[in-house]
Amino acid sequence: MEEVIEKANKIWNETYEKLEKEEIIYDNWLKMYDKEIEKCKTPIIDLGCGRGNNILYLTQKGKEVIPCDYSKKAIENIKKNFPEIDIVKHFDMSKGLPFESNFTDIIICDLSLHYFTEKITFEILNEIKRVLKPKGILFCRVNSINDINFGAGQGQELEKHLYLTKDGRYKRFFDLDDIERFFSDWNKININEEKLNRFNAEKVVWNCILKVNK
């Protein structure tokens, strides 16, 4: 697992190196959740913040955001592009979240939860539940099994819908049964499959808003 994570980190560092000078553009997926975002009075955690698409949206809404990523290059870019943000965290979320329990009302995992084994995915979700306040909300998008442009069904299948790709990374793809299984103890506010543009290609994802039961 450690070797796979390191390979993925190397690939993402190279990706963000190439994208460093490109304009940051958000795709408005959070707009449907404006009501919940406006109500939030705590810092919003963005797990796997990447280039900062969601950060741009949230900061323009006047919200305090804590960007988090395992890629050092992603974090460097965030610090450069959003100098007004005081707290930026670099860590591997498969090893836990460096936040106290009941820390925030909202956590975002935008295309960052589908790189792990089933065991570690559940561990991350348990950590997210720990860090969220009672009735806290998780906004997330994960790969769909229909995401053929981004590797669905390709590579060595290690677990159901989890593949080892040619470049040595794990990629998980979800169907509705997977969504129900991984989020069985969450209150599902909205679950829908949708298409978006990612790196100039059509990508298919599950868009989920979930409320923690505690």
Side-chain angles (χ1 to χ4, degrees):
M1 181 65 188
E2 292 292 334
E3 182 181 351
V4 173
I5 290 175
E6 285 303 320
K7 284 183 179 179
N9 188 39
K10 182 176 183 295
I11 291 169
W12 282 116
N13 280 334
E14 292 171 353
T15 299
Y16 293 127
E17 184 79 41
K18 295 175 183 176
L19 296 172
E20 180 178 1
K21 295 181 180 180
E22 290 194 12
E23 182 183 4
I24 300 171
I25 301 173
Y26 53 79
D27 61 20
N28 282 331
W29 79 287
L30 290 176
K31 188 173 180 60
M32 69 180 71
Y33 308 132
D34 271 353
K35 182 179 178 181
E36 291 82 3
I37 290 170
E38 289 293 344
K39 288 181 179 178
C40 185
K41 303 300 181 184
T42 62
I44 296 172
I45 297 173
D46 188 3
L47 291 177
C49 61
R51 297 188 62 226
N53 310 64
N54 298 319
I55 299 167
L56 179 62
Y57 185 81
L58 294 168
T59 54
Q60 288 182 351
K61 302 285 288 185
K63 294 300 174 179
E64 182 180 355
V65 189
I66 301 179
C68 309
D69 208 286
Y70 187 47
S71 165
K72 288 183 178 179
K73 187 58 186 177
I75 292 300
E76 288 175 9
N77 291 348
I78 293 298
K79 290 180 177 179
K80 186 184 301 181
N81 293 322
F82 300 93
E84 72 276 14
I85 294 181
D86 295 325
I87 301 174
V88 181
K89 290 185 176 287
H90 170 247
F91 63 90
D92 177 1
M93 66 180 174
S94 71
K95 297 180 179 178
L97 306 185
F99 298 98
E100 63 187 36
S101 298
N102 302 319
F103 177 80
T104 183
D105 289 312
I106 293 177
I107 291 179
I108 295 171
C109 287
D110 187 13
L111 305 177
S112 60
L113 272 179
H114 45 227
Y115 296 106
F116 309 99
T117 63
E118 178 177 305
K119 178 178 181 293
I120 291 177
T121 303
F122 276 114
E123 288 174 356
I124 293 171
L125 288 172
N126 284 334
E127 273 289 273
I128 289 172
K129 283 187 284 189
R130 179 186 65 79
V131 174
L132 281 171
K133 290 178 176 291
K135 298 183 180 180
I137 297 173
L138 170 63
F139 300 139
C140 76
R141 295 194 292 190
V142 293
N143 296 328
S144 164
I145 60 168
N146 296 312
D147 191 26
I148 57 174
N149 289 331
F150 289 86
Q154 302 172 28
Q156 178 186 357
E157 190 170 22
L158 304 176
E159 299 174 352
K160 181 184 178 183
H161 297 156
L162 175 71
Y163 296 87
L164 181 63
T165 65
K166 289 181 180 180
D167 59 13
R169 289 186 288 175
Y170 289 159
K171 269 194 177 182
R172 180 176 295 281
F173 299 85
F174 291 69
D175 61 15
L176 188 55
D177 287 342
D178 294 325
I179 296 291
E180 293 294 335
R181 181 165 59 89
F182 279 103
F183 299 105
S184 60
D185 56 351
W186 291 72
N187 182 10
K188 300 169 189 66
I189 307 301
N190 181 64
I191 306 289
N192 67 284
E193 192 177 31
E194 63 180 30
K195 298 175 182 178
L196 59 100
N197 184 278
R198 194 76 168 178
F199 302 122
N200 298 315
E202 182 181 84
K203 182 171 183 62
V204 186
V205 302
W206 287 99
N207 188 339
C208 310
I209 175 171
L210 310 117
K211 186 173 289 187
V212 69
N213 287 321
K214 69 175 181 178

